[in-house]
Amino acid sequence: MQNSHTGSDRSSPNGGSEDGVYVVNYYETSDIELSVTVVHAVLEVTGADPTDVNLNAVVQPDALNRIFNPKHDGEPREGGRIEFDLAGCHVTVTGDGEVRVDPDS
């Protein structure tokens, strides 16, 4: 399924969707802030109303954006990982640009 918010396909890292995890590569959508990408991914998975997904309740969006922004020289960050629960989903963001939303956690 094509994600209209991020332009990425709903899939697991191996290209299938059998595990039910929604995966987005943030660096492919870098014209959109990471925090917005996370919220859109959760909305895509849950079908929730945007007013029902409050990222501020679990992590500061500006801090999330800064942690994984490219380095000053433009190179992407390597390593790093943050995990949190949002709107009934377990969200994992990694330094390599992967955003994983697991609705079955």
Side-chain angles (χ1 to χ4, degrees):
M1 169 182 358
Q2 183 72 20
N3 179 345
S4 60
H5 298 293
T6 60
S8 295
D9 291 325
R10 180 178 182 163
S11 64
S12 66
N14 63 7
S17 59
E18 62 277 350
D19 65 0
V21 175
Y22 184 86
V23 179
V24 176
N25 186 315
Y26 170 65
Y27 292 125
E28 293 175 1
T29 64
S30 61
D31 57 326
I32 300 171
E33 291 183 322
L34 174 57
S35 58
V36 174
T37 300
V38 168
V39 170
H40 284 176
V42 170
L43 290 172
E44 186 77 20
V45 169
T46 64
D49 187 87
T51 60
D52 294 334
V53 177
N54 183 5
L55 183 61
N56 287 303
V58 294
V59 66
Q60 289 184 333
D62 289 339
L64 180 62
N65 294 336
R66 284 192 310 268
I67 288 171
F68 293 106
N69 270 348
K71 298 176 186 176
H72 291 291
D73 64 3
E75 289 294 315
R77 300 265 180 205
E78 291 184 19
R81 173 188 199 106
I82 186 169
E83 297 183 41
F84 52 89
D85 293 324
L86 179 62
C89 298
H90 187 76
V91 178
T92 304
V93 180
T94 61
D96 65 359
E98 184 176 83
V99 176
R100 296 175 57 88
V101 179
D102 184 355
D104 298 325
S105 61

